[in-house]
């Protein structure tokens, strides 16, 4: 007789909404949620309107923030990862000799462990927060000591990586901010955390993916790690071989050679395997009595033809996807 295994428990959401026109309450909210700070509002305080909605699920927190005023802010060091995506207005950050001025859609990760100075001006932001060790644990699968993982810069490695990161942040916001959602299945939550962490590793310079490539034409293991991290982070999006090669900083032919030599398959075959794994998790977590279908889940993970998806799925898991959905 097989041992009884309790089903995974759903991960609850914690929602918070805050709105004020009082400067003191505005400053205290920033201190309570983000970091100790000193805010200086430029202009008439009567025009201030600060609005914040937040949703936390486990280690992931997303915020939607709007502030009507121009503010100049001294921010004390933080010890977690906070990513900004401006949607409107102007935003600038300075730390030491580095200064960043963000336009709409420009991603930025706050530096950790150092004081900062920020300027807001009629700003609307999407924010993602999570612990550094959550990302470090994903990086550790490539052999890196989690305690040694660090981000080396505050902007994406390329415009293409920035666009993919923006799509990832907006996807997480849409999913967690959906007003009807109260909990999330633990398998789906785990996949979201994995996606966020892998996307961070693929998007922002760090000591895992920034190892120097080999000086010869042979792709170095670091190249393969960059490609794998990129695929893992963007499997839910429409990506092609040239996207993966650009993220890995190698040509398509070198990328094909690296995958064949180290993994025994092509980059697109690896992408298909990752998408199958995500679809498999969703099928196990889905409830067909609430309208979940194989075709919908398959399409979400890039399989536009259900029959082809069913063939791939059966080859990999030994059963049809409809069987997994029903059981």
């Amino acid at each position: 007789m097989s041992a009884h295994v309790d089903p995974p428990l759903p991960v609850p959401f914690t929602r918070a909404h805050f709105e004020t026109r009082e400067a003191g309450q505005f400053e205290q909210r920033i201190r309570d949620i983000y970091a100790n700070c000193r805010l200086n509002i430029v202009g008439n305080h009567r025009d201030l309107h600060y609005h914040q909605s937040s949703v936390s699920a486990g280690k992931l927190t997303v915020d939607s923030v709007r502030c009507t005023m121009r503010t100049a802010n001294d921010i004390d060091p933080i010890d977690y990862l906070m990513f900004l995506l401006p949607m409107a207005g102007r935003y600038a950050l300075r730390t030491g000799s580095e200064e960043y001025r963000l336009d709409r859609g420009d991603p930025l990760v706050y530096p950790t462990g150092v004081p900062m100075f920020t300027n807001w001006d009629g700003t609307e932001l999407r924010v993602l927060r999570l612990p550094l060790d959550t990302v470090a644990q994903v990086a550790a699968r490539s052999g890196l000591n989690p305690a040694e993982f660090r981000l080396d810069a505050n902007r994406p490695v390329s415009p293409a990586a920035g666009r993919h990161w923006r799509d990832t942040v907006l996807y997480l916001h849409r999913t967690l901010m959906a007003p009807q959602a109260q909990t999330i299945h633990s398998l789906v939550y785990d996949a979201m955390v994995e996606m966020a962490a892998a996307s961070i590793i693929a998007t922002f310079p760090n000591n895992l993916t920034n190892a120097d490539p080999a000086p010869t034409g042979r792709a170095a293991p670091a190249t393969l790690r960059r490609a794998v991290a990129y695929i893992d982070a963007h499997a839910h999006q429409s990506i092609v071989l040239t996207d993966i090669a650009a993220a890995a900083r190698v040509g398509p032919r070198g990328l094909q050679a690296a995958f064949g030599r180290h993994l025994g398959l092509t980059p697109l075959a690896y992408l298909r395997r990752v998408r199958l794994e995500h679809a498999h998790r969703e099928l196990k977590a889905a409830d067909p009595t609430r309208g979940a279908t194989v075709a919908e889940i398959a399409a979400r993970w890039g399989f536009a033809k259900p029959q082809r998806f069913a063939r791939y799925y059966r080859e990999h898991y030994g059963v049809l996807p409809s069987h997994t959905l029903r059981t």
Side-chain angles (χ1 to χ4, degrees), residues 8 44 67 72 80 119 144 155 199 205 231 240 247 271 275 284:
N44 193 327
C67 182
Y80 61 94
N119 270 296
L144 185 72
R155 300 298 298 273
S199 186
I231 290 172
V240 296
L271 171 62
R275 286 173 167 169
K284 289 177 67 177

Side-chain angles (χ1 to χ4, degrees), residues 23-42:
Q25 294 179 1
F26 170 37
E27 183 173 51
Q28 189 60 49
R29 183 66 175 180
I30 298 297
R31 289 178 175 174
D32 291 343
I33 299 298
Y34 300 114
N36 192 37
C37 64
R38 291 150 301 281
L39 305 187
N40 178 32
I41 298 174
V42 180

Side-chain angles (χ1 to χ4, degrees), residues 3-15:
H4 173 74
V5 178
D6 291 329
L9 296 174
V11 177
F13 288 2
T14 300
R15 297 181 180 274

Side-chain angles (χ1 to χ4, degrees), residues 99-122:
E99 184 170 1
Y100 306 93
R101 296 184 179 275
L102 307 184
D103 293 322
R104 176 184 170 89
D106 284 345
L108 177 79
V109 54
Y110 265 29
T112 57
V114 296
M116 295 161 279
F117 181 81
T118 65
N119 270 296
W120 302 18
D121 192 355

Side-chain angles (χ1 to χ4, degrees), residues 284-303:
K284 289 177 67 177
D287 184 352
T289 66
R290 296 189 175 185
T293 66
V294 171
E296 176 190 16
I297 293 171
R300 187 152 53 240
W301 290 104
F303 298 98

